[in-house]
Amino acid sequence: MILSTTPTLEGKQIVEYRGIVVGEAILGANLFKDLFAGIRDIIGGRAGAYEKELGKAREIAMQELREKASALGANAVVGIDLDYEVVGPNGGMLMVSISGTAVLVR
């Protein structure tokens, strides 16, 4: 599966558009409480535990995007956009959302 933020792929021809696909992952409030307890790993202004968890959420969302594109018979996703949003009644959750257009290329 080819994944790209660009609308086209160099050296490839889009032969069919299969539809918009989305992958999402939400990190809950308990995660943030746990991470605050382990905040000791901040080095040089970076929070390694946060980065690790956000990386996991991003990979979950990407995998969901791949699976949905594959289910549509696509072999690539173009125009990918990645967003991070705070959600929930008190902003206690973080959502990673990835969207793009599933296409068939050759």
Side-chain angles (χ1 to χ4, degrees):
M1 179 72 58
I2 301 169
L3 304 174
S4 178
T5 58
T6 61
T8 60
L9 298 171
E10 182 92 20
K12 301 283 185 185
Q13 178 185 5
I14 294 174
V15 294
E16 191 173 331
Y17 291 86
R18 298 292 174 104
I20 295 170
V21 287
V22 176
E24 298 167 328
I26 297 177
L27 304 174
N30 288 339
L31 170 69
F32 290 111
K33 288 179 186 174
D34 293 344
L35 288 175
F36 276 125
I39 202 77
R40 287 179 233 122
D41 66 0
I42 294 179
I43 298 173
R46 295 180 65 173
Y50 281 106
E51 290 175 358
K52 184 177 177 181
E53 290 303 315
L54 286 174
K56 282 185 201 176
R58 189 173 47 250
E59 188 51 44
I60 290 167
M62 276 290 206
Q63 185 59 35
E64 189 175 303
L65 183 86
R66 284 185 198 99
E67 290 169 3
K68 289 181 177 178
S70 182
L72 293 174
N75 61 359
V77 180
V78 295
I80 290 177
D81 181 49
L82 174 64
D83 288 313
Y84 296 91
E85 297 289 333
V86 176
V87 296
N90 298 317
M93 296 182 281
L94 180 72
M95 178 176 70
V96 177
S97 176
I98 302 173
S99 62
T101 303
V103 297
L104 187 60
V105 298
R106 65 176 127 130

